[in-house]
């Protein structure tokens, strides 16, 4: 009689067979004796064991071993009252197995989602289908407690390793679909017990599905399978089984889980044979379900043993890896614990000996030591705060959050350079030299810096100022700041406020916030270590404004010379003296800076560079930098003035020189590539020496034999000749070798003719569209963020008719220019009425005014006089004089208003080869401040009224 070993729901049950006839003889030569030797490795502990499956004694399947099945099975079930309760009185039930299991040829099909059931093993499954559960209970009541357990195939397109179907999902599949998803080979399973929806199955023998009988619940016809006959005395089978047992022994040394399996197996096995050994190894291994199904389907005993051997070998490797991982982690943890223990002991010993104080005392000593050098210079209110915070630090627990806040606060307070100033250099001559070395031109900026130094020298001390450098990109605003710091011998700190939207970046966070930090100025003072650095605030015209406040307003206190002597940072919460700091701000467009902030700064405009200045900058600065960057020697390349001029006029017309620098670097990179290619094709460089190919060397040697005495020896002859004994001769030989190496590569010449080979086709073409301006076309001057430019204003008539006088404007004009066009149209009618009273042109003609480059938006108050001249030229059929450009806004009474961007517009006129320029009289002072090389060769007229422009534009037509 078999007894059911009940355990907790988390454990798998096994059957025992204590009948005397089935006891195993402990013979040294038997196979089971070898397996039984494994048990000595551990004591059985069933309470702590977790079984994947355990062997059942009544699992005979008619194999060659000749063991038969019992006619009946008695099952002692603890807790049987919780089953379907037809007979709740009995605490045990006897389940008849008559007829024999092999007589069942039609069985219910149970799908197994995770692993196949092997003969002789328990497996609990959950049945969610009510019809199938009822059929199983009915079979058990009819004393026919058998069903077929078949592994479910994976869904098409999914991998078996990732398939995770639950029993609930399994039983959603029914009928023919379920039949097609089942593996053909399964196991005849006895229904041991049914508790709720949990069914415990015991495997008996292998089955093969032949056909489907009914669909719901799925019932199938089966054939009972038997192992192929085998010879129990076959040496190969014996050897394979012994190897399986040997591998099991090795695994047992590392895996306690396997020890529990083998203990239960050896204590409760009935008739031991080779097929059961193969099933046992496969059933308890961690292999995937397809590999286990392969073992289940294999009827050849030798092949089944081989498959099982592969699985247990893999388990052996996994166990070794697991053991090594566990050992490494254990060593690491034990090492850290040991180190921690020793450190604690060391602290205790040092404390007892008085060699070390606690953390709070050490921190206080560190802060006091850091403050000591600047204690006399430190303001009294700051010293008072530091002392209070040090006292507070001693009273706080080291583990509290307030302790960390106070420690960080003291760290910032004591690290700042209170009253520590760097020695400034007030040498004006030296400053002039440094500024000239770094930048060409920029007279206004250099003059302002020299004034600042001169005032500092006379007063004996320097006062901080706020200077704003405004101008197009690439004119050197940021690099000017570095040069000023070098000239004054001040520390330099730069931070950009472009896009800054958080006030805390400038004013700092409150200390109560997590991760609070001071603002940029406090960080600056900490980094530079002096209280009088030069601080460059970049892109001040691009300040953002977000939900965290208005940074432009936060900068008011920082950049106000009257307020920044007591600048208050939110984090430090003590006043800081920033009056000695020299602030230099940069901006592209001053109009974008808020007026209250702009009012606190001295604006120095940098208009840009004309072609002559760009030539000097390219020769003296950019070209040298490009040569060093690309590793090209000056004697290896020559860039002509014509090439540089073509580069400036046709590729780099913007006001700055950043784009010019990029193009020069591009030229030198291509030159470097050409030099390397030519050098690689002519010479081989090995460990610093030039070695020519053997054939060339032989030819050169031959030539040297017939060379004239005064001819210079070639590289190969220098190498093949004996080394000179005299050191002077050796030096001359090295110089000769170096000279010849340089001569091996031709000098690269960059001229206007081959400039396109280095930088591509020209980007810009001449802005001057007309050699002779036609009727209705006048050249105007405009200011852009990239500098100045010339643009034509064109007027033509659309149609004529009585009373059809009107004006249509195009060219992406802004509101200001549209209003200027209306004013110009009205004033032009008035002027034409004065000059030609009988000409009804404006009254009867619809005009179309266009400003070319329609894709470029244009706006600004300086195109009025140009528009009037264009309309009058069309009305009177008179072209304006050649090489004339004008700018200025006009009123309805004909008065000319001043404009901005005089230098940029003058530079644009020179670039377009304009000789005559008309400016408003109010701009005469701006023009007189321009450098002589900018004004050279220009005929400039300053006007107050449009009548003067009319005379200049039309009365001298004979000079065209």
């Amino acid at each position: 009689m078999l007894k059911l070993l009940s355990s907790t729901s988390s454990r798998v049950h096994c059957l025992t067979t204590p009948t005397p006839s089935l006891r195993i003889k402990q013979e040294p030569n038997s196979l089971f004796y070898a397996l039984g030797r494994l048990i000595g490795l551990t004591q059985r502990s069933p309470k702590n064991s977790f079984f994947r499956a355990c062997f059942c004694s009544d699992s005979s399947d008619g194999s060659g071993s000749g063991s038969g099945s019992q006619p009946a099975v008695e099952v002692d079930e603890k807790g049987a009252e919780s089953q379907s309760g037809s007979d709740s009185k009995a605490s045990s039930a006897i389940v008849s197995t008559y007829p024999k299991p092999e007589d069942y040829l039609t069985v219910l099909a149970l799908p197994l989602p995770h692993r196949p059931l092997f003969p002789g093993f328990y497996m609990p499954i959950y049945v969610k289908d009510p019809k199938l559960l009822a059929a199983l209970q009915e079979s058990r009541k009819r004393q026919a407690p058998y069903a077929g357990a078949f592994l479910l195939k994976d869904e098409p397109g999914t991998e078996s390793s990732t398939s995770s179907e639950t029993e609930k999902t399994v039983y959603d599949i029914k009928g023919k679909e379920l039949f097609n998803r089942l593996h053909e080979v399964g196991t005849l399973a006895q229904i041991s017990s049914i508790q709720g929806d949990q069914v415990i199955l015991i495997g008996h023998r292998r089955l093969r599905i032949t056909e489907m009988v009914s669909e719901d619940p799925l019932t199938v016809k089966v054939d009972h399978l038997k192992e192929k006959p085998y010879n129990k005395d076959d040496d190969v089978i014996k050897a394979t089984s012994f190897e399986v047992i040997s591998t099991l022994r090795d695994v047992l040394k590392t895996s306690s889980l396997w020890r529990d399996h083998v203990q239960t197996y050896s204590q409760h096995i009935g008739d031991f044979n080779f097929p059961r050994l193969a099933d046992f190894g496969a059933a308890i291994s961690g292999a995937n379900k397809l590999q286990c199904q392969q073992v289940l389907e294999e009827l050849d005993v030798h092949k089944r043993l081989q498959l099982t051997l592969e699985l247990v070998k893999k388990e052996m490797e996994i166990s070794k890896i697991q053991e090594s991982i566990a050992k490494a982690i254990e060593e690491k943890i034990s090492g850290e614990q040991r180190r921690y223990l020793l450190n604690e002991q060391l602290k205790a010993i040092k404390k007892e000996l008085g060699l070390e104080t606690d953390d709070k005392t050490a921190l206080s000593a560190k802060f006091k030591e850091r403050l000591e050098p600047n204690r006399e210079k430190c303001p009294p209110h700051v010293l008072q705060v530091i002392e209070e915070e040090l006292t507070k630090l001693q009273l706080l627990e080291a583990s509290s959050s307030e302790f960390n806040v106070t420690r960080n606060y003291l760290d910032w307070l004591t690290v700042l350079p209170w009253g520590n100033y760097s020695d400034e250099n007030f040498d004006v001559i030296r400053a002039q030299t440094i500024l000239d070395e770094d930048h060409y031109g920029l007279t206004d900026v250099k003059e302002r810096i020299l004034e600042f130094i001169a005032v500092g020298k006379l007063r004996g001390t320097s006062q901080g100022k706020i200077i704003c450098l405004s101008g197009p990109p690439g004119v050197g605003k940021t690099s000017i700041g570095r040069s000023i710091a070098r000239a004054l011998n001040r520390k330099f700190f730069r931070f950009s406020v472009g896009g800054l939207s958080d006030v805390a970046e400038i004013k700092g966070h409150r200390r109560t916030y997590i991760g609070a930090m001071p603002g940029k100025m406090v960080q600056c003072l900490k980094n530079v270590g002096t209280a009088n650095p030069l601080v460059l605030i970049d892109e001040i015209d691009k300040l953002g404004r977000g939900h965290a406040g208005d940074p432009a307003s936060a900068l008011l206190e920082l950049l106000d010379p009257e307020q920044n002597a007591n600048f208050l940072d939110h984090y430090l919460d003590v006043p800081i003296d920033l009056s000695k700091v020299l602030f230099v701000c940069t901006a592209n467009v001053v109009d974008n800076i808020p007026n209250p902030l702009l009012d606190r700064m001295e604006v120095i405009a940098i208009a840009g560079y004309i072609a002559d200045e760009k030539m000097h900058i390219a020769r003296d600065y950019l070209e040298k930098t490009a040569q060093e960057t690309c590793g090209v020697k000056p004697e290896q390349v020559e860039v002509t003035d014509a090439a540089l001029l073509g580069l400036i006029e046709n590729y780099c017309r913007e006001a700055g020189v950043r784009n010019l620098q990029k193009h020069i670097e591009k030229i030198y990179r291509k030159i470097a590539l050409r030099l390397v290619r030519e050098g690689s094709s002519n010479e081989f460089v090995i460990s610093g020496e030039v070695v020519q190919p053997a054939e060339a060397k032989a030819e050169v040697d031959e030539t040297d034999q017939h060379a004239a005495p005064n001819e210079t020896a070639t590289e190969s002859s220098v190498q093949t000749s004996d080394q000179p004994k005299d050191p002077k001769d050796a030096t001359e030989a090295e110089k000769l070798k170096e000279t010849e190496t340089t001569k091996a590569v031709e000098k690269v010449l960059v001229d206007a003719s081959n400039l396109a080979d280095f930088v591509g086709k020209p980007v810009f073409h001449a802005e001057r569209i007309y050699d002779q301006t036609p009727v209705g076309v006048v050249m105007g001057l405009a200011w852009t963020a990239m500098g100045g430019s010339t643009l034509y204003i064109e007027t033509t008539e659309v149609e004529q008719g009585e009373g059809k006088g009107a004006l249509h404007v195009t060219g992406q004009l802004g509101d200001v220019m549209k209003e200027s066009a209306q004013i110009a149209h009205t004033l032009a009618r008035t002027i034409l009425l004065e000059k030609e009273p009988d000409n009804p042109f404006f009254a009867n003609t619809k005009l179309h005014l266009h400003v070319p480059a329609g894709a470029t938006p244009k706006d600004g108050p300086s195109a009025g006089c140009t528009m009037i001249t264009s309309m009058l030229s069309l009305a009177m059929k008179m072209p304006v004089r050649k090489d004339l450009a004008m700018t200025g806004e006009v009123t309805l009474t004909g008065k000319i208003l001043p404009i901005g961007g005089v230098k940029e517009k003058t530079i644009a006129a020179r670039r377009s080869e304009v000789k005559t320029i008309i400016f408003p009289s109010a701009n005469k002072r701006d023009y007189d401040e321009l450098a002589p090389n900018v004004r050279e060769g220009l005929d400039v007229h300053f006007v107050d009224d449009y009548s003067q422009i009319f005379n200049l534009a039309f009365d001298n037509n004979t000079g065209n």
Side-chain angles (χ1 to χ4, degrees):
M1 186 178 74
L2 298 176
K3 291 183 179 180
L4 176 65
L5 299 179
S6 63
S7 180
T8 61
S9 60
S10 63
R11 300 186 184 117
V12 183
H13 311 284
C14 71
L15 291 176
T16 62
T17 308
T19 55
S21 61
L22 295 178
R23 288 180 183 172
I24 285 68
K25 297 178 180 180
Q26 299 288 337
E27 296 179 2
N29 294 330
S30 68
L31 290 176
F32 183 71
Y33 176 73
L35 183 61
R37 291 287 299 276
L38 303 175
I39 308 306
L41 297 174
T42 181
Q43 296 297 324
R44 182 167 179 259
S45 55
K47 290 185 179 180
N48 298 326
S49 61
F50 174 76
F51 304 136
R52 192 181 293 115
C54 297
F55 203 86
C56 167
S57 62
D58 187 15
S59 59
S60 173
D61 49 8
S63 64
S65 60
S67 61
S69 61
Q70 300 294 332
V73 178
E74 291 185 7
V75 182
D76 181 13
E77 300 184 18
K78 295 184 180 179
E81 292 84 5
S82 61
Q83 291 185 8
S84 60
S86 62
D87 186 7
S88 60
K89 297 185 291 181
S91 61
S92 64
I94 299 175
V95 181
S96 174
T97 59
Y98 183 81
K100 295 180 179 181
E102 55 264 27
D103 297 333
Y104 288 89
L105 301 177
T106 303
V107 294
L108 292 169
L110 297 178
L112 304 178
H114 304 304
R115 292 177 67 83
L117 174 64
F118 282 89
F121 282 81
Y122 268 110
M123 178 178 287
I125 66 170
Y126 291 89
V127 179
K128 302 297 182 181
D129 187 357
K131 287 187 179 180
L132 180 58
L133 187 62
L136 292 174
Q137 290 173 342
E138 183 65 26
S139 297
R140 197 162 183 275
K141 288 178 184 178
R142 287 191 287 104
Q143 296 185 349
Y146 287 96
F150 301 94
L151 182 65
L152 195 68
K153 297 178 182 177
D154 293 325
E155 285 184 337
T158 61
E159 298 181 3
S160 60
S161 60
T162 60
S163 177
S164 58
E165 290 185 277
T166 62
E167 279 84 351
K168 183 178 179 181
T169 309
V170 168
Y171 287 105
D172 288 341
I173 308 171
K174 296 180 181 179
K176 191 169 292 184
E177 183 184 359
L178 179 59
F179 178 77
N180 294 331
R181 288 279 301 277
L182 295 178
H183 282 275
E184 288 186 3
V185 177
T187 307
L188 180 67
Q190 180 181 351
I191 305 167
S192 173
S193 67
I194 303 176
Q195 298 179 1
D197 59 353
Q198 185 185 45
V199 179
I200 297 179
L201 305 177
I202 306 171
H204 275 266
R205 56 179 61 233
R206 287 171 168 79
L207 302 175
R208 176 177 278 118
I209 298 176
T210 56
E211 60 178 300
M212 182 173 65
V213 176
S214 64
E215 294 189 3
D216 194 13
L218 182 63
T219 309
V220 295
K221 284 187 177 181
V222 295
D223 286 341
H224 291 258
L225 302 178
K226 297 181 180 180
E227 275 93 5
K228 294 179 182 178
Y230 67 94
N231 183 8
K232 291 191 290 185
D233 298 325
D234 184 81
D235 293 339
V236 177
I237 293 178
K238 285 183 179 181
T240 307
S241 63
F242 275 119
E243 183 62 25
V244 172
I245 294 172
S246 175
T247 307
L248 289 174
R249 182 189 296 115
D250 294 336
V251 174
L252 288 177
K253 295 177 183 178
T254 58
S255 176
S256 60
L257 181 64
W258 278 57
R259 297 174 194 171
D260 296 330
H261 288 318
V262 176
Q263 278 183 345
T264 306
Y265 178 85
S266 61
Q267 291 177 7
H268 304 297
I269 191 171
D271 185 15
F272 177 78
N273 52 37
F274 297 116
R276 286 183 179 172
L277 177 63
D279 287 346
F280 170 74
I284 68 173
S285 70
N288 62 46
K289 60 183 182 181
L290 295 180
Q291 291 174 321
C292 293
Q293 179 68 23
Q294 189 179 1
V295 175
L296 183 68
E297 293 177 358
E298 185 57 60
L299 299 180
D300 187 285
V301 175
H302 179 223
K303 290 183 179 178
R304 191 189 299 173
L305 281 169
Q306 286 182 324
L307 292 173
T308 301
L309 181 59
E310 291 180 10
L311 299 184
V312 295
K313 286 286 187 184
K314 187 179 292 185
E315 286 289 329
M316 182 63 208
E317 294 300 322
I318 293 173
S319 298
K320 287 181 179 178
I321 296 172
Q322 180 183 357
E323 184 183 17
S324 64
I325 292 173
K327 186 177 179 181
I329 293 175
E330 185 179 356
E331 288 177 355
K332 182 179 179 182
I333 293 175
S334 62
E336 290 177 354
Q337 290 175 340
R338 184 170 179 271
R339 190 179 301 108
Y340 173 76
L341 182 61
L342 291 174
N343 281 331
E344 291 299 317
Q345 291 175 349
L346 182 61
K347 286 182 182 178
I349 292 170
K350 284 186 175 181
K351 193 171 183 180
E352 288 294 327
L353 295 175
L355 300 177
E356 188 177 87
T357 57
D358 58 359
D359 292 341
K360 291 190 286 188
T361 308
L363 277 173
S364 299
K366 183 184 79 170
F367 293 143
K368 289 179 180 178
E369 181 183 355
R370 185 189 292 172
L371 182 65
E372 198 60 38
N374 296 330
R375 179 175 289 273
E376 295 180 1
K377 303 176 185 177
C378 188
H381 63 275
V382 176
L383 282 175
Q384 181 181 353
V385 173
I386 293 175
E387 293 296 336
E388 291 174 357
E389 292 296 324
L390 284 172
T391 306
K392 179 181 176 182
L393 188 71
Q394 293 296 327
L395 300 176
L396 292 172
E397 287 293 331
S399 58
S400 66
S401 59
E402 185 69 17
F403 180 84
N404 290 327
V405 172
T406 306
R407 181 186 61 190
N408 292 336
Y409 181 51
L410 280 169
D411 192 19
W412 279 101
L413 274 179
T414 55
V415 81
L416 291 182
W418 300 104
N420 186 13
Y421 303 102
S422 61
D423 295 331
E424 287 190 279
N425 192 327
F426 294 116
D427 188 351
V428 178
I429 306 301
R430 174 180 174 275
Q432 178 80 53
T433 306
I434 290 175
L435 293 174
D436 289 339
E437 282 178 3
D438 294 346
H439 296 87
Y440 179 82
L442 304 179
T443 309
D444 295 343
V445 183
K446 294 177 181 178
E447 193 69 23
R448 178 65 188 85
I449 301 306
L450 295 177
E451 290 171 5
F452 176 81
I453 295 173
V455 171
K457 185 172 184 178
L458 293 177
R459 291 189 56 190
T461 179
S462 63
Q463 192 70 17
K465 293 292 181 182
I466 292 90
I467 298 172
C468 180
L469 302 175
S470 69
V475 295
K477 299 185 295 296
T478 304
S479 58
I480 287 172
R482 296 184 185 275
S483 299
I484 295 173
R486 191 160 72 94
L488 292 173
N489 194 30
R490 288 195 180 203
K491 298 288 186 179
F492 178 78
F493 184 83
R494 172 193 171 273
F495 70 94
S496 176
V497 294
L500 187 70
S501 60
D502 190 357
V503 173
E505 290 289 328
I506 299 166
K507 298 278 286 182
H509 306 83
R510 298 290 179 188
R511 290 200 304 277
T512 53
Y513 298 153
I514 296 175
M517 286 186 66
K520 282 290 185 185
M521 275 313 302
V522 178
Q523 297 177 37
C524 159
L525 296 179
K526 177 186 175 182
N527 289 340
V528 299
T530 61
N532 62 337
L534 185 145
V535 179
L536 180 73
I537 304 177
D538 237 343
E539 311 294 350
I540 200 169
D541 59 328
K542 298 176 181 62
L543 275 169
R545 183 168 186 173
H547 66 280
D550 183 13
S553 301
L555 281 173
L556 294 178
E557 182 184 2
L558 180 65
L559 298 182
D560 191 341
E562 301 299 327
Q563 297 182 35
N564 60 14
N566 295 300
F567 176 74
L568 192 66
D569 185 88
H570 288 162
Y571 183 86
L572 294 184
D573 206 23
V574 292
I576 306 172
D577 184 10
L578 300 179
S579 60
K580 301 293 192 296
V581 178
L582 176 59
F583 291 97
V584 178
C585 307
T586 68
N588 294 129
V589 183
V590 179
D591 299 340
N592 296 338
I593 303 175
N595 284 334
L597 188 59
L598 186 63
D599 183 60
R600 287 161 166 78
M601 299 185 288
E602 297 182 35
V603 179
I604 300 177
I606 305 176
Y609 304 103
I610 61 174
D612 183 42
E613 291 174 330
K614 286 186 178 182
M615 283 286 291
H616 281 283
I617 293 170
R619 282 290 184 208
D620 299 338
Y621 304 96
L622 304 182
E623 197 174 5
K624 293 178 181 177
T625 305
Q627 287 174 355
E628 294 176 2
T629 304
C630 299
V632 178
K633 296 179 181 178
E635 60 268 13
Q636 292 177 310
V637 62
E638 181 183 351
V639 181
T640 63
D641 291 342
L644 280 180
L645 189 61
L647 196 65
I648 292 167
E649 292 183 348
N650 299 327
Y651 296 87
C652 312
R653 282 189 183 176
E654 61 282 334
V657 293
R658 186 176 288 125
N659 194 32
L660 179 61
Q661 180 183 8
K662 293 177 184 177
H663 279 76
I664 292 175
E665 288 176 351
K666 184 177 182 180
I667 291 173
Y668 273 90
R669 284 197 304 270
K670 291 188 178 296
I671 291 172
L673 177 61
R674 181 179 295 184
L675 292 173
V676 171
R677 278 179 175 167
E678 291 179 2
S680 299
S681 60
N682 295 333
E683 302 166 347
F684 298 96
V685 180
I686 302 175
S687 26
E689 295 185 357
V690 180
V691 181
Q692 293 185 350
E695 297 177 3
K697 184 176 177 181
E699 292 175 4
V700 173
D701 286 340
E702 237 180 314
T703 308
D704 286 340
Q705 293 176 2
H706 306 286
N710 59 350
E711 290 181 354
T712 305
T714 61
E715 179 67 30
S716 57
S717 63
V718 172
Q719 290 179 349
T720 53
S721 62
D722 296 331
Q723 293 295 327
K725 298 177 182 179
D726 189 0
K728 293 182 179 180
D729 295 340
T731 306
E732 291 176 3
E734 289 177 3
K735 288 182 179 179
L736 182 61
K737 181 190 294 187
E738 186 178 347
T739 305
E740 291 302 323
T741 305
T742 308
K743 288 183 178 179
V745 181
E746 259 187 45
K747 188 173 186 178
V748 179
L749 177 66
V750 181
D751 200 355
S753 58
N754 63 349
L755 181 63
D757 298 338
F758 293 92
V759 290
K761 295 181 180 179
V763 178
F764 297 102
H765 300 283
E767 290 182 358
R768 190 176 185 84
I769 304 175
Y770 308 103
D771 290 332
Q772 173 63 51
T773 50
V775 172
V777 178
V778 180
M779 180 186 288
L781 298 175
W783 177 93
T784 66
M786 298 297 290
S789 66
T790 58
L791 73 163
Y792 286 93
I793 292 181
E794 305 173 341
T795 308
T796 185
E797 61 179 76
V798 179
E799 60 177 333
Q800 279 191 333
E802 187 69 28
K804 287 191 175 183
L807 176 66
H808 176 61
V809 294
T810 57
Q812 280 212 56
L813 305 183
D815 292 337
V816 177
M817 286 192 73
K818 288 178 181 178
E819 291 180 356
S820 295
Q822 294 295 333
I823 295 170
H825 188 243
T826 302
L827 188 58
R829 295 181 68 168
T830 305
I831 294 173
L832 185 64
L833 191 61
E834 293 176 0
K835 300 292 182 183
E836 298 180 6
D838 299 331
N839 190 344
F841 179 81
F842 288 110
N844 300 332
T845 306
K846 183 178 181 180
L847 301 178
H848 182 178
L849 184 144
H850 176 66
V851 183
T856 306
K858 292 170 280 290
D859 199 10
S862 61
C865 62
T866 314
M867 291 178 175
I868 294 174
T869 308
S870 174
M871 294 177 188
L872 290 175
S873 172
L874 182 67
M876 297 187 300
K877 302 292 187 285
M878 295 172 60
V880 298
R881 59 181 291 184
K882 188 179 179 181
D883 297 336
L884 173 69
M886 63 184 70
T887 179
E889 182 64 5
V890 68
T891 67
L892 282 174
T893 58
K895 294 296 181 182
I896 306 299
L897 301 179
I899 48 91
V902 172
K903 183 176 180 180
E904 290 89 344
K905 292 178 179 180
T906 307
I907 292 171
R910 288 181 63 90
R911 187 167 58 239
S912 297
E913 298 179 355
V914 171
K915 303 299 182 185
T916 306
I917 305 176
I918 298 176
F919 279 134
S921 295
N923 293 110
K924 188 175 189 309
R925 181 176 57 84
D926 299 325
Y927 181 79
D928 292 339
E929 291 177 356
L930 298 181
N933 58 347
V934 178
R935 296 180 293 172
E936 183 182 356
L938 294 178
D939 181 17
V940 180
H941 299 271
F942 299 96
V943 295
D944 292 316
D945 193 88
Y946 184 77
S947 58
Q948 299 171 266
I949 299 178
F950 185 89
N951 297 331
L952 290 169
F954 298 109
D955 288 354
N956 295 328
N957 272 333
T958 54
N960 286 344

